[in-house]
Amino acid sequence: MDGVRNAQADMAKYSATEEITDATLPSSSNVAHNGDFVTVNEDRDLSRGLEQRHLSLIALAGAIGTGLFLGLGSSIQTGGPLGALLGYATIGLIVCAVQYALGEVTALLPVTGSFVRHAEFLVDPALGFAIGYNIVYGNWLSVPAEISAICVLFEYWTDINSSVFIVAFILVTFIIGIAFIRIYGEVEFWFAVLKILFIIFLIILGLVINLGGIKGVPRLGFHYWKTPGPFVEYIATGSLGKFLGYWAVMSSAVFSFSGTESIAMAAAETRNPRQAIPRACKRVFFRVSIFYILAVLVVGMLVSSDDDRLNDQSGTAAQSPFVIAASAAGIPAIASIVNAIVITSAWSSSNQALLAGTRVLYGLALKGQAPQVFLRTTSWGVPWVCVCLQTAFMFLAFMALSNGALTVFYWFVDLTACGALISWITVLLNHQRLLMAMKKQSIPMSLLPWHNSWTAYSTPVALFMCVLILFTSGFAVFTSGRWSTSGFISSYLDIPLVIAVYIIWKVYKKTKIVALADIPLREAFEEIARNPEPIDSTAKGWKSWVGFLWD
């Protein structure tokens, strides 16, 4: 990997010439940074079982899920084929900036908990605490929510009591979570391969149907872009209504892309993380964006934005625009295949939420922000106390068996619905602070293990866009006749919760925003010099073709 090789060479050069001096970098005595780097606990107790191919496919598995297979229809309804395409393209560019920002900071600080611990190192300990518990709490509820969704998906085929599926998926999710980290990586790897192959199949099938390749089905082309049109007016009329339709699609797109930021949560359990994570971040953006953009384009060609069949809210394959188009073309078997793939997607998401929640909690314990009991690990390197605690919350899925309890449960889930945007904002803020600190301390950017010059511009733009989308994502509830308490909660309540936790910890611990000159970058670069990673060999021949998705 040329970036790592060049950075190591630059590090050696500057160490030899002593261009980086104590005058330009703070000494370790000036800053309390215990646990800012990979700790003894992580090196001793965790196992580096994840490889770069696992990371790339884990992020792909998390991003290609219900949002892609089931949710595109509602986006076409809201914004029209072109409005939906532009909405997903906009969020795709933002995700690109987030992934590159995450990769650059993680290459310097490959720690368990990822951007949560980066926030403490680069911004404020109180921010790391607030974001950390927001992620932990969100993932505690995310797993039972996914299991509840799985029960609904099984109802498409059978009327067996949902409690059977709840118990079964709690058990298998716990087994994956408590097993050796490589087993988790392999499970997610093959789930992702399955989903990628299937979405490629659906895109090709959609094009065949659209272009008249099925006997008896007329060629459509871009017919629905002309009638009823490329945009849908949303709330307002005219150009404003079309713009609001495009803007509303972006909230759905954020949900679809959420999960890609958790790619570095298990950095201390990854082999050669300074190379593997940046490479995975770069690859994931292009793969996910291509799949989503092509899928949105094809769906907009297959189904009209005013098609009543898109109103199906069953939560099963029946609402998928791919299923609607395939059924109309006389291929009803597609529905069951989509339903099966979505079940694997939901289970994959629950596995990913278990990993993210437990590793962030472990990282908080390393920093003394959670009880030390959460540092206990199995002999094969899994934080078993963290896993057991999160498993206990999985039993909230039984609330799905009662209508009243299910309403309460989803109110809790709504509290963290905007968590993805808050996480993206944190990632971008961390990266912006790193760049500012490097400039303040007169450290050349070439010393970073991985850096792209254009991120100096993409990060602030993406940060502005994320904040703007966060505060406007629920704009519809403020318009006449559209007030929804649940909609307001899901769009905004997580914001004051995070702010409240931040202020409480800041006042209680009397933390301060770390001055740019005091961020201990010297120790970070010394850590790289003390623990250089061997340069990964590049796959050649047939291996490079087989690994095109992740390498």
Side-chain angles (χ1 to χ4, degrees):
M1 195 173 175
D2 293 339
V4 174
R5 188 178 291 109
N6 293 338
Q8 291 179 351
D10 287 341
M11 193 72 190
K13 178 179 70 175
Y14 282 103
S15 297
T17 59
E18 296 183 351
E19 184 166 332
I20 297 179
T21 66
D22 291 341
T24 59
L25 283 168
S27 67
S28 57
S29 61
N30 294 334
V31 182
H33 59 276
N34 181 42
D36 287 333
F37 312 127
V38 177
T39 62
V40 173
N41 293 76
E42 290 165 280
D43 267 334
R44 180 190 63 209
D45 300 333
L46 301 179
S47 176
R48 294 190 181 274
L50 293 178
E51 299 178 3
Q52 192 263 319
R53 68 181 178 90
H54 295 133
L55 293 180
S56 294
L57 273 293
I58 285 170
L60 281 171
I64 300 177
T66 55
L68 181 59
F69 294 115
L70 303 184
L72 292 186
S74 63
S75 296
I76 297 294
Q77 272 189 315
T78 303
L82 182 55
L85 185 64
L86 292 175
Y88 273 84
T90 302
I91 297 301
L93 290 174
I94 292 173
V95 170
C96 176
V98 172
Q99 289 293 96
Y100 274 72
L102 179 62
E104 290 190 9
V105 180
T106 304
L108 179 66
L109 301 167
V111 294
T112 300
S114 184
F115 57 88
V116 174
R117 281 168 70 188
H118 299 161
E120 178 156 351
F121 181 82
L122 295 164
V123 187
D124 187 340
L127 179 62
F129 179 84
I131 298 300
Y133 274 99
N134 189 60
I135 291 173
V136 169
Y137 163 72
N139 284 297
W140 280 351
L141 295 177
S142 179
V143 179
E146 295 292 350
I147 293 174
S148 299
I150 290 171
C151 293
V152 173
L153 290 163
F154 270 104
E155 289 175 359
Y156 184 76
W157 292 314
T158 179
D159 56 0
I160 293 176
N161 193 299
S162 295
S163 59
V164 174
F165 300 114
I166 292 174
V167 171
F169 277 92
I170 287 176
L171 181 60
V172 293
T173 303
F174 170 75
I175 290 173
I176 295 297
I178 203 69
F180 179 47
I181 187 68
R182 187 179 180 85
I183 294 177
Y184 163 81
E186 291 295 339
V187 169
E188 292 300 293
F189 177 87
W190 291 108
F191 272 164
V193 169
L194 179 65
K195 286 191 283 188
I196 290 167
L197 293 176
F198 188 60
I199 193 60
I200 291 173
F201 166 74
L202 287 180
I203 290 171
I204 294 173
L205 176 64
L207 287 173
V208 170
I209 294 173
N210 179 267
L211 298 176
I214 304 294
K215 186 177 180 180
V217 178
R219 185 182 187 279
L220 289 171
F222 285 91
H223 171 75
Y224 294 129
W225 285 56
K226 300 174 182 177
T227 305
F231 290 97
V232 170
E233 295 178 349
Y234 182 67
I235 298 178
T237 58
S239 298
L240 176 60
K242 294 176 182 177
F243 172 78
L244 292 179
Y246 149 75
W247 197 262
V249 164
M250 288 199 286
S251 294
S252 299
V254 168
F255 169 76
S256 297
F257 281 104
S258 65
T260 54
E261 72 280 355
S262 64
I263 190 173
M265 285 299 182
E269 296 167 83
T270 303
R271 296 176 186 175
N272 299 336
R274 291 193 174 96
Q275 299 168 71
I277 291 175
R279 186 183 296 167
C281 288
K282 182 169 63 174
R283 301 297 191 271
V284 164
F285 160 69
F286 288 112
R287 271 58 169 184
V288 171
S289 296
I290 288 172
F291 290 137
Y292 268 101
I293 297 304
L294 286 177
V296 174
L297 178 63
V298 170
V299 167
M301 295 164 64
L302 286 174
V303 184
S304 172
S305 59
D306 60 0
D307 193 319
D308 291 336
R309 292 172 295 178
L310 294 175
N311 294 322
D312 190 307
Q313 298 297 319
S314 63
T316 67
Q319 74 181 81
S320 170
F322 293 107
V323 171
I324 292 172
S327 298
I331 316 175
I334 293 295
S336 288
I337 299 174
V338 168
N339 206 59
I341 294 294
V342 174
I343 287 174
T344 67
S345 299
W347 185 40
S348 173
S349 296
S350 69
N351 288 337
Q352 189 177 62
L354 180 62
L355 180 81
T358 54
R359 270 44 178 191
V360 169
L361 183 58
Y362 181 86
L364 290 169
L366 283 173
K367 300 294 295 183
Q369 296 173 339
Q372 297 297 290
V373 69
F374 293 118
L375 293 178
R376 295 182 181 179
T377 58
T378 62
S379 59
W380 54 89
V382 173
W384 66 270
V385 179
C386 296
V387 172
C388 288
L389 177 62
Q390 187 155 340
T391 300
F393 278 87
M394 294 184 200
F395 288 90
L396 289 174
F398 281 100
M399 296 176 74
L401 302 179
S402 164
N403 290 333
L406 184 62
T407 300
V408 175
F409 173 58
Y410 277 110
W411 269 65
F412 282 122
V413 173
D414 283 343
L415 296 181
T416 55
C418 60
L421 278 170
I422 292 176
S423 294
W424 294 358
I425 288 169
T426 305
V427 170
L428 294 165
L429 181 60
N430 291 340
H431 183 252
Q432 186 64 29
R433 291 276 298 177
L434 173 63
L435 297 183
M436 292 168 64
M438 296 279 286
K439 183 177 180 180
K440 178 73 173 180
Q441 299 179 24
S442 301
I443 304 174
M445 296 296 175
S446 60
L447 286 188
L448 289 172
W450 190 61
H451 179 63
N452 302 271
S453 58
W454 57 269
T455 58
Y457 308 98
S458 64
T459 289
V461 172
L463 181 59
F464 170 78
M465 285 297 295
C466 282
V467 173
L468 182 62
I469 295 170
L470 177 65
F471 283 99
T472 60
S473 61
F475 72 91
V477 301
F478 299 110
T479 58
S480 178
R482 289 179 174 267
W483 172 257
S484 166
T485 302
S486 61
F488 174 80
I489 289 174
S490 64
S491 298
Y492 296 113
L493 194 56
D494 200 32
I495 301 172
L497 284 178
V498 171
I499 293 174
V501 174
Y502 171 79
I503 293 173
I504 290 170
W505 189 256
K506 191 170 185 64
V507 171
Y508 176 64
K509 286 292 187 178
K510 298 181 173 59
T511 68
K512 295 181 179 179
I513 296 176
V514 183
L516 293 176
D518 291 336
I519 295 175
L521 294 178
R522 181 188 191 91
E523 286 83 348
F525 290 114
E526 288 176 350
E527 185 77 8
I528 295 174
R530 282 194 300 268
N531 301 290
E533 292 180 357
I535 303 299
D536 285 342
S537 58
T538 303
K540 297 180 180 179
W542 67 270
K543 291 183 178 179
S544 65
W545 288 96
V546 173
F548 79 99
L549 283 173
W550 59 84
D551 199 10

